[in-house]
Amino acid sequence: MQGLSVTGLSAAYRKSKVLDEVNFKLPKGSLTGIVGPNGAGKSTLLKVMLELHPKLGGTVHFAGKPLKTMRKKIGYVPQRGSVDWDFPTDALDVVMMGLYGNVGWMKSPKARHREQAMAALEQMGMADYARRQISQLSGGQQQRVFLARALVQDAELYFMDEPLAGVDAATEQAIMTTLRELKGRSKTVMVVHHDLQTVEDYFDHVLLLNRTVMNYGETADVFTKDNVYRTYGAGLRWRQEVPS
Amino acid sequence: MSYTGWILLTASLVGLSCGTIGVLLILRRMAMMADAISHTVLLGIVVAFLVTRELSGYHMLIGAVVAGLLTSILIQWLQSRGVQGEASIGVVFTTLFAVGVILIATKVGNAHLDVKHALMGEITFVPWTTVHLPWIGDIPEATFILSIVLLVVLAAVIGFYKEWKITSFDPALAASIGIPVVVMHYAFMSLLSITTVAAFDAVGAIMVLAMLITPAASAYLWTDRLSLMFVLSGGFGVLAAVAGYYTAAWLDTSISGSMAFATGVLFMISFLASPKHGLLSKLLSPAVAAE
Ligand SMILES: Nc1ncnc2c1ncn2[C@@H]1O[C@H](COP(=O)(O)OP(=O)(O)O)[C@@H](O)[C@H]1O
Ligand SMILES: [Mg+2]
């Protein structure tokens, strides 16, 4: 069954092209790591697929359908640094934002939305912090709040931008447990990932990206020394960064 | 109502509407945009005057919204062409403002419209121009228009409360769940424009900036709750307006200047004394811990 298919996708910032003819297909229920050097266009790829940044061309299908009909079935977790953590709000409130699409225009969230959000915080081990102002949370806790927000969206496909960057070991385990559980429920999950050491442990599929797709497929087939070298260029020291 | 009563009511309406809009302005990090709008609405007012040949408040409101939208569209366009963010704001507003000034000087002559008035405002004149309303009677036109603008602002903020919250905090998430972030942006620019122009008569373009930014920046220091931030900011706006009026009466000086000064004093107090971010609490907390 088809989870995600992308054909001929290109994008630019002003005049400089950052994504060129991106093509790949991923099955439903796959847990995919997007891997590539800094500035490879990983964040941009997620944004362009979700039409948060305009594309120059190409098509994207989610479970065989265009974005327009799938919006409610898609969960997006932006990079943690993309929001202002000093914003006057608390953890529970941030999680409830994931439900705003279901609440409806001009209506305010109801008790059942609050309960759903609490349950998601609980699942991420954050129930005790529900009423804490978000700047008073550690980086790992902030990332758990973002994950909880994605969980309440109850989506079919998830797109997450570096959810494991800068988090503590316990948070990393909690997030990975959640991601595997999503996969277990046949959700299609794409995760931008920066740590080459853990790719083989964490992901069943890999997309190697550097302005275009260098390789993609099942981790065992694709995540090879040669392919990773090709993606990163000469700067990579294979033995130190990837167990061979 | 007494002459002083009308002035206080008008100033309070300015404080409330600017304080409310100011919260979104601060949280959306668009204070520079307020600077731009407070200048370019002048062009809107002048063009509205040249087209209709009268200085009615309603025409001015429409002119201001058009000028405000034009400003934000031009800025957006320049930025999409690669002009750096703040530079494009500066280029657009100084240019449009200059066009406004030139039009006043060459086309309007001295017909009740001068630059100093638009920039400084003159709240003492407000009670002289009245409109007649059924049941209520004669009330100053500026007060009436400010009341309408306040109602519009409150309706928009309360009605779309969660939409403002999510588009301000995380526009990418908002867009990904189908909330029209761009429409909300231009709706906000329109609200900002009508608030600015309605406050013009009372406090002038320069003082509008103080009223838009400072009460909200002070409220931000006192609370971690968005709803409370709105209430505090509106309250600070009213407080500064009233305190500014009495200070001006006492010292016999400019009312709008005193109001802006009062917002500054409020901010200083907040900066020093607020529980979470204030200097005092930072100085005191190690002492408490050491005991
Ligand atoms: N808002 C932006 N404006 C201009 N260039 C950008 C912007 N965002 C990213 N870029 C550029 O696009 C390229 C890809 O960026 P990004 O998708 O963030 O890479 P990654 O997430 O893989 O590190 C980089 O060269 C970056 O400098
Ligand atoms: Mg990135």
Side-chain angles (χ1 to χ4, degrees), chain B residues 227-259:
Chain B
S227 49
L228 197 53
M229 187 173 164
F230 275 111
V231 173
L232 282 177
S233 181
F236 286 165
V238 173
L239 192 63
V242 173
Y245 176 78
Y246 283 109
T247 311
W250 176 45
L251 295 176
D252 192 20
T253 177
S254 147
I255 296 180
S256 58
S258 303
M259 288 177 183

Side-chain angles (χ1 to χ4, degrees), chain A residues 38-39 41-44 79 161-162 192:
Chain A
N38 274 337
K42 305 182 292 293
S43 300
T44 305
Q79 251 167 311
D161 204 341
E162 306 223 20
V192 175

Side-chain angles (χ1 to χ4, degrees), chain B residues 180-264:
Chain B
V181 177
V182 177
V183 174
M184 298 284 295
H185 172 76
Y186 288 114
F188 175 70
M189 295 310 291
S190 304
L191 289 175
L192 179 60
S193 307
I194 59 169
T195 307
T196 307
V197 75
F200 250 37
D201 260 346
V203 295
I206 306 292
M207 300 315 168
V208 163
L209 265 187
M211 280 300 200
L212 281 169
I213 294 168
T214 325
S218 311
Y220 180 81
L221 295 173
W222 288 98
T223 180
D224 287 334
R225 298 180 64 84
L226 180 59
S227 49
L228 197 53
M229 187 173 164
F230 275 111
V231 173
L232 282 177
S233 181
F236 286 165
V238 173
L239 192 63
V242 173
Y245 176 78
Y246 283 109
T247 311
W250 176 45
L251 295 176
D252 192 20
T253 177
S254 147
I255 296 180
S256 58
S258 303
M259 288 177 183
F261 181 69
T263 64

Side-chain angles (χ1 to χ4, degrees), chain A residues 86 88 93 104-105 107 149, chain B residues 29 162 165 170 180 220 224:
Chain A
D86 285 323
D93 210 33
W105 270 91
K107 302 210 184 80
R149 187 175 74 177
Chain B
R29 300 184 177 280
K162 74 174 192 308
K165 184 169 16 178
D170 194 344
Y220 180 81
D224 287 334

Side-chain angles (χ1 to χ4, degrees), chain A residues 14 52 71 76 78 83-84 86-89 93-94 97 100-101 103-107 109 133-134 146 149 153, chain B residues 27 29 79-80 82 159-160 162-163 165-166 168-170 172-173 175-178 180 184 220 224-226 229:
Chain A
R14 287 170 210 133
L52 304 175
R71 270 234 150 85
Y76 173 54
V83 305
D84 171 19
D86 285 323
F87 197 90
T89 185
D93 210 33
V94 171
M97 289 180 193
Y100 281 6
V103 174
W105 270 91
M106 293 186 70
K107 302 210 184 80
Q133 140 71 22
I134 52 177
F146 260 16
R149 187 175 74 177
Q153 289 188 267
Chain B
L27 294 178
R29 300 184 177 280
Q79 287 176 354
S80 75
F160 297 99
K162 74 174 192 308
E163 284 80 11
K165 184 169 16 178
I166 191 172
S168 303
F169 174 65
D170 194 344
L173 174 79
S176 81
I177 63 178
M184 298 284 295
Y220 180 81
D224 287 334
R225 298 180 64 84
L226 180 59
M229 187 173 164

